[in-house]
Amino acid sequence: MNIPATRKDLMIVNMGPQHPSMHGVLRLIVTLDGEDVIDCEPILGYLHRGMEKIAENRTIIQYLPYVTRWDYLATMFTEAITVNGPEQLGNIQVPKRASYIRVIMLELSRIASHLLWLGPFMADIGAQTPFFYIFRERELIYDLFEAATGMRMMHNFFRIGGVAADLPYGWIDKCFDFCNYFLTRVIEYQKLITRNPIFLERVEGVGFVGREEVINWGLSGPMLRASGIQWDLREVDNYECYEELDWEVQWQKEGDSLARYLVRIGEMVESIKIIQQALEGIPGGPYENFEIRCFDREKEPEWNDFEYRFIGKKSSPTFELPKQELYVRVEAPKGELGIFLIGDQNGFPWRWKIRPPGFINLQILPQLVKRMKLALN
């Protein structure tokens, strides 16, 4: 047995597997000199479920119920990216009303994700109260999701060419009520947290990432914008109807944990502004492009040489993906969520590669924690 050669005064500690989402997916092997972190090795892959290969053996409609499992905190974004790729490959037009509904759902999901970042973040640095507050607001968002989609977390709401159903009667008024209420709660968060001297002592100047570093490491989302780069895919790519709404990219230049906190707090306020404008300006018309159900459909679909019509009594629509390749992306709460998609004149994608923002952002973790101290609480 080979024993790793280490200095006598160094200690190797196994932290994890921990659960940044809902399962044990992150393990850290930390080398300590007393309380100082000398080295950190993150180990991933404890929850690999083969989502890409499942996508390559399903039609898009069949695969949609799976995708919310990519990210339990921002479920609408995984659905959005799953339908955006085939829409761009097939040049499918989305009705204006459906686009507005999508934006409303995406921004509600962004707020829900940022809230569940805020609560555990504050608990980790010793403030337990915000952890309970954020669930109060998240429950209201889930109530809105449940009323519109029938599900609180796994919605299966987005469709190629639109959404699954129109907004129910009274939903817009309820969403307005939530927006007005949530703005008062954000003010409460800011009074409780932002200028708290203990909070500032523990986050200001901690976890610094410079402008050059975030670009070299390929970081995105609040990690990128907190280091002085005004880059938001909602503004850069102009997908859905964001260019018709008045909002501002939230950014800071300090590059530390405080800056990332301020970016996320600012983004929640901007999301409320976007939702309010979308609710006020939502047009009439269809919520789905029904014409696509008649075009680009496989005449005799097969599933791995098995006749697909025998799989179930009522088969789902099988849209034929053109023989092209495409990279499509959205601005998810954690950063750039992308998919590299290759069609092959088939109902199933030939290649489906996911670009997860959290996985990419975690690359810089060992560099951030070096020379920091390990908390003993």
Side-chain angles (χ1 to χ4, degrees):
M1 177 179 178
N2 294 326
I3 300 176
T6 59
R7 285 169 41 191
K8 292 183 179 180
D9 54 347
L10 294 185
M11 179 169 56
I12 298 176
V13 177
N14 179 62
M15 299 182 66
Q18 306 290 355
H19 52 92
S21 176
M22 291 182 67
H23 308 282
V25 297
L26 176 63
R27 175 189 177 200
L28 302 176
I29 299 179
V30 184
T31 304
L32 299 174
D33 183 3
E35 295 180 359
D36 297 320
V37 177
I38 302 301
D39 192 20
C40 172
E41 180 186 357
I43 300 176
L44 309 172
Y46 286 92
L47 193 68
H48 182 70
R49 292 167 291 181
M51 281 295 181
E52 294 172 351
K53 291 305 172 186
I54 292 174
E56 293 166 14
N57 289 276
R58 300 288 188 278
T59 67
I60 301 299
I61 299 299
Q62 288 176 325
Y63 185 57
L64 268 171
Y66 286 81
V67 300
T68 46
R69 277 76 176 175
W70 298 356
D71 186 349
Y72 293 96
L73 310 186
T75 47
M76 290 293 183
F77 291 89
T78 58
E79 293 188 19
I81 196 69
T82 302
V83 299
N84 284 356
E87 285 170 354
Q88 292 188 28
L89 272 183
N91 196 24
I92 296 170
Q93 299 299 314
V94 179
K96 187 64 70 175
R97 181 176 180 84
S99 183
Y100 271 74
I101 293 173
R102 286 182 177 186
V103 165
I104 293 168
M105 295 301 177
L106 289 174
E107 294 308 312
L108 285 173
S109 191
R110 188 184 310 279
I111 294 171
S113 178
H114 281 347
L115 284 174
L116 201 50
W117 165 84
L118 178 63
F121 171 69
M122 295 304 300
D124 286 342
I125 61 175
Q128 197 67 33
T129 304
F131 186 78
F132 300 108
Y133 284 7
I134 61 106
F135 281 100
R136 177 184 61 192
E137 278 70 70
R138 274 176 60 86
E139 284 301 306
L140 298 177
I141 296 176
Y142 281 170
D143 288 342
L144 291 171
F145 284 159
E146 185 179 12
T149 72
M151 296 287 284
R152 296 178 74 81
M153 285 186 69
M154 313 305 175
H155 314 293
N156 192 19
F157 185 62
F158 282 54
R159 292 290 184 273
I160 297 175
V163 292
D166 206 349
L167 297 177
Y169 178 78
W171 192 92
I172 290 178
D173 293 333
K174 290 292 185 184
C175 195
F176 267 124
D177 292 341
F178 167 76
C179 291
N180 295 330
Y181 166 79
F182 185 73
L183 288 175
T184 64
R185 299 302 95 187
V186 173
I187 294 173
E188 182 182 25
Y189 296 152
Q190 291 174 320
K191 287 181 179 178
L192 182 67
I193 300 170
T194 306
R195 296 186 180 178
N196 186 300
I198 301 175
F199 169 74
L200 294 176
E201 184 71 24
R202 295 180 178 181
V203 297
E204 203 166 7
V206 174
F208 173 77
V209 188
R211 182 186 177 95
E212 299 263 331
E213 285 180 304
V214 294
I215 295 174
N216 292 338
W217 284 95
L219 308 186
S220 59
M223 292 284 293
L224 181 71
R225 292 188 287 276
S227 295
I229 299 177
Q230 301 181 53
W231 178 269
D232 192 306
L233 296 178
R234 293 172 291 178
E235 183 181 64
V236 174
D237 289 354
N238 286 330
Y239 60 90
E240 299 299 351
C241 60
Y242 282 106
E243 73 276 4
E244 301 174 17
L245 306 173
D246 181 27
W247 59 282
E248 297 178 359
V249 176
Q250 296 298 300
W251 65 287
Q252 300 286 327
K253 58 184 179 182
E254 289 78 14
D256 57 3
S257 293
L258 177 60
R260 292 188 281 273
Y261 158 81
L262 293 173
V263 166
R264 288 184 173 98
I265 289 290
E267 284 189 357
M268 289 195 286
V269 176
E270 290 299 311
S271 291
I272 291 293
K273 286 172 54 179
I274 292 172
I275 294 169
Q276 288 175 327
Q277 293 175 68
L279 292 171
E280 291 171 356
I282 187 169
Y287 58 86
E288 186 179 359
N289 186 345
F290 295 105
E291 292 182 357
I292 63 167
R293 295 187 177 184
C294 304
F295 300 107
D296 294 330
R297 181 182 297 215
E298 286 188 291
K299 295 179 180 179
E300 297 179 358
E302 295 181 355
W303 190 352
N304 295 335
D305 296 328
F306 184 81
E307 290 198 29
Y308 181 55
R309 57 196 174 96
F310 295 123
I311 296 288
K313 294 181 180 179
K314 184 180 179 182
S315 61
S316 60
T318 52
F319 304 105
E320 190 175 276
L321 297 173
K323 196 165 187 177
Q324 299 176 29
E325 61 181 57
L326 172 75
Y327 177 75
V328 61
R329 57 189 182 176
V330 296
E331 185 66 43
K334 299 181 183 71
E336 180 181 326
L337 172 62
I339 287 176
F340 177 65
L341 172 64
I342 300 180
D344 193 28
Q345 294 298 129
N346 198 314
F348 307 140
W350 189 84
R351 185 70 177 99
W352 184 279
K353 175 63 181 173
I354 304 168
R355 192 266 188 206
F359 183 82
I360 306 297
N361 289 345
L362 270 176
Q363 292 180 112
I364 201 171
L365 179 64
Q367 180 175 323
L368 290 182
V369 299
K370 286 179 182 177
R371 299 177 300 278
M372 303 301 291
K373 291 187 180 296
L374 180 70
L376 299 178
N377 57 346

